[in-house]
Amino acid sequence: MAFETTVLTAFRRSARGVLALALAVTLGLGPGARPATADDAPLKKLDFAGSVTWLGQIPILVAIDKGFFKEQGLDVGVQVILNSSDRIRAITAGSVAFSNLGRTAVISEMARGNKSFYYFANVDDSPGNEGCWARPGFASLSDLKGKKIAANASAEITLVGLLKEASMTTKDVELVNLPPNEMVVALANSDVDAACVWRPVLDKLKTAAPDGKMLGTDKDTESFRAFGTMSSPDIMIISKKVVDEDPESARKIAIAVMKGADFATKEPEETARTVAHYFKQPPEAVLAGIKDFKYFGAAGWPDHIKRHTEQMKRLAAYLAEAGKIPATPAVEDWMNVSFIPAP
């Protein structure tokens, strides 16, 4: 009887093995393979548009390389698009899902009625890293009346704030709109008398005119005193189509982005080692830059975005008054935080 039981057991095991082998062949699995499960489903592709010249992008870049998006079931790659306006166009065209970019460009698109995006967070700020450097012989902004000053984008907003402190406006100087790297050459050749820009280009201005003087930074403006931010800090935007049609993916993006910001704050050394390849700099150089930045993650985000909304409203009013946009948009109409988990 014991012998018969042993034979029967062996037969059953053999039959199960044959059945499993047949099933594996049918499913196209090799030896040791297992059938596909829900965990093997392909990750959803939703790319990020960003710059690799500005350390404000670090929360998203570290989230990509540390796998925070993959944890959420998303496949997020970086599409390098240096110009903020071009990043918005990429979102409008549907080629990327979200971006981190200068809010001056965002407000300009709002004023044009572009409804293809929402803003939802600010994850980086670096007051004190944007300023105006003058050639030797200019001790203050007052000395630059009638002189040439190069500035563009957010740095122009900083210049406006600094001129206001000196009871001046851009009408009192000759404003020259130059790309950042061209400012360095222009200052070195005395084609302009001062230039306003952000780090690391600001440091290059000091090399171009080593005996010059810092005339002020964004920390010396009324805007900083009111909001504690840069003159025109970054803002996170996301495709309206993604949020409206796939709010769960939008939620996953927000979670991963804020986790990246928290990681950059808590682990700056590891963050620098992780993202240095994007900036083509040694980790030590990236770490030195990170120390001048503040990154904002999940803690207290409702109050944080409220403060930045108020700053954007004031900036929009200025841009309209200066004739840089056709009208003052209702900035808050573009805010959507419905998909962000409560703190």
Side-chain angles (χ1 to χ4, degrees):
M1 186 67 174
F3 174 76
E4 292 176 352
T5 301
T6 301
V7 172
L8 181 59
T9 300
F11 174 78
R12 286 172 177 167
R13 288 176 178 169
S14 176
R16 284 198 298 268
V18 171
L19 180 61
L21 178 60
L23 180 60
V25 171
T26 300
L27 296 176
L29 300 174
R34 59 176 176 78
T37 68
D39 292 336
D40 299 316
L43 302 179
K44 183 156 190 172
K45 183 70 172 172
L46 292 171
D47 277 353
F48 165 73
S51 167
V52 290
T53 62
W54 175 242
L55 299 181
Q57 309 290 350
I58 280 179
I60 301 92
L61 298 178
V62 76
I64 291 172
D65 281 24
K66 282 296 182 183
F68 299 158
F69 289 103
K70 287 185 177 179
E71 290 173 359
Q72 297 296 321
L74 300 178
D75 177 11
V76 173
V78 182
Q79 291 192 29
V80 177
I81 302 175
L82 298 182
N83 185 280
S84 290
S85 296
D86 289 338
R87 287 178 228 165
I88 298 178
R89 293 187 186 101
I91 285 182
T92 302
S95 56
V96 298
F98 65 110
S99 184
N100 188 35
L101 66 167
R103 64 188 55 186
T104 301
V106 172
I107 292 171
S108 294
E109 288 298 310
M110 291 175 177
R112 294 184 178 93
N114 186 342
K115 293 284 191 176
S116 68
F117 63 89
Y118 297 117
Y119 73 88
F120 68 98
N122 164 265
V123 294
D124 74 281
D125 204 354
S126 57
N129 281 270
E130 189 169 82
C132 298
W133 184 262
R135 291 193 304 107
F138 300 97
S140 68
L141 279 165
S142 299
D143 295 337
L144 285 164
K145 282 189 176 180
K147 303 297 183 180
K148 293 181 179 180
I149 303 180
N152 74 7
S154 63
E156 184 178 339
I157 309 302
T158 290
L159 172 60
V160 169
L162 292 173
L163 288 171
K164 185 176 181 181
E165 296 293 314
S167 301
M168 296 168 64
T169 71
T170 52
K171 294 179 180 179
D172 294 309
V173 299
E174 186 177 344
L175 186 61
V176 181
N177 190 301
L178 288 177
N181 289 336
E182 292 184 20
M183 292 182 188
V184 178
V185 176
L187 194 67
N189 293 339
S190 300
D191 294 330
V192 297
D193 300 298
C196 304
V197 73
W198 47 84
R199 285 193 172 96
V201 184
L202 181 60
D203 295 325
K204 294 179 181 179
L205 293 180
K206 298 176 183 179
T207 303
D211 296 321
K213 183 177 180 179
M214 181 75 81
L215 301 181
T217 73
D218 50 7
K219 278 190 170 183
D220 300 311
T221 66
E222 190 276 332
S223 179
F224 176 78
R225 292 192 293 273
F227 301 104
T229 71
M230 295 181 72
S231 299
S232 181
D234 289 338
I235 197 75
M236 292 288 308
I237 66 172
I238 187 169
S239 163
K240 182 178 185 295
K241 180 180 176 66
V242 170
V243 175
D244 292 351
E245 298 181 6
D246 188 6
E248 180 61 16
S249 289
R251 183 185 71 86
K252 292 175 178 180
I253 287 173
I255 290 172
V257 166
M258 290 184 174
K259 186 173 181 178
D262 288 334
F263 187 90
T265 298
K266 295 174 184 176
E267 303 289 346
E269 291 85 3
E270 177 61 19
T271 296
R273 286 191 293 270
T274 301
V275 304
H277 68 98
Y278 286 108
F279 301 97
K280 295 181 172 54
Q281 293 183 6
E284 296 77 15
V286 175
L287 179 60
I290 287 176
K291 290 179 178 178
D292 288 330
F293 274 73
K294 291 182 179 179
Y295 299 112
F296 303 93
W301 67 258
D303 288 338
H304 187 70
I305 194 63
K306 180 179 179 181
R307 176 156 55 95
H308 278 265
T309 294
E310 292 303 313
Q311 197 274 350
M312 288 176 71
K313 288 163 68 174
R314 181 181 294 194
L315 179 56
Y318 159 73
L319 292 172
E321 182 181 349
K324 296 181 178 298
I325 56 177
T328 305
V331 168
E332 59 272 31
D333 288 352
W334 275 262
M335 183 175 74
N336 190 332
V337 295
S338 62
F339 52 91
I340 305 178

